[in-house]
Amino acid sequence: MVDTLKILGQISPPATTEEAIVSASKPSIVSTLFVCNTTASAVTYRLWIRKGAEDTATKQYIYYDDELQANETIAVTAGITLAVGDILMGYGSVAGIAFTACGLDKS
């Protein structure tokens, strides 16, 4: 079996909507996560990791209402590990925030 480098997930959720960026169907490592504000105004976003079927809880957040300026992009290089069933979630205060997770699917 071969490990696969790839884009693990991309979303641009509606305003104030929680959405899965990556739902791990196999063990995965998110090497870099990009958050891009495509709007002309400052916005906030949230990132968190849900373990298996757990509901969203405070303990899962890795960024909470962090601010991005107009047309700003950040790259989070963290080596986020996901077991089968884990979910990397994203949320934006407005529409127009794009999330891209790049990394490795383990075989």
Side-chain angles (χ1 to χ4, degrees), residues 6 9 14 17 27 32-33 40-42 44 56-58 62 65-66 69-70 75 77 82-84 86 89 97:
K6 62 190 254 183
T17 302
T32 305
L33 177 65
S41 302
T44 60
T56 296
T58 302
I62 53 179
D65 287 348
D66 203 42
Q69 297 304 312
T77 303
L82 301 173
V84 172
D86 291 349
M89 300 288 295
I97 302 173

Side-chain angles (χ1 to χ4, degrees), residues 4 18 29 40 54 71 82-84 102:
T4 306
E18 297 179 355
I29 300 170
E54 288 183 357
N71 302 307
L82 301 173
V84 172
C102 300

Side-chain angles (χ1 to χ4, degrees), residues 36-102:
C36 177
N37 177 8
T38 67
T39 75
S41 302
V43 300
T44 60
Y45 68 94
R46 299 174 188 172
L47 293 170
W48 65 103
I49 303 165
R50 287 178 35 197
K51 182 176 174 131
E54 288 183 357
D55 291 333
T56 296
T58 302
K59 68 181 181 179
Q60 300 164 341
Y61 284 97
I62 53 179
Y63 287 88
Y64 191 88
D65 287 348
D66 203 42
E67 187 171 56
L68 282 177
Q69 297 304 312
N71 302 307
E72 181 181 12
T73 299
I74 63 153
V76 178
T77 303
I80 298 168
T81 56
L82 301 173
V84 172
D86 291 349
I87 305 169
L88 177 61
M89 300 288 295
Y91 165 98
S93 59
V94 300
I97 302 173
F99 299 85
T100 298
C102 300

Side-chain angles (χ1 to χ4, degrees), residues 9-27:
Q10 293 181 305
I11 63 168
S12 184
T16 66
T17 302
E18 297 179 355
E19 196 168 308
I21 303 168
V22 178
S23 294
S25 59
K26 56 179 78 174

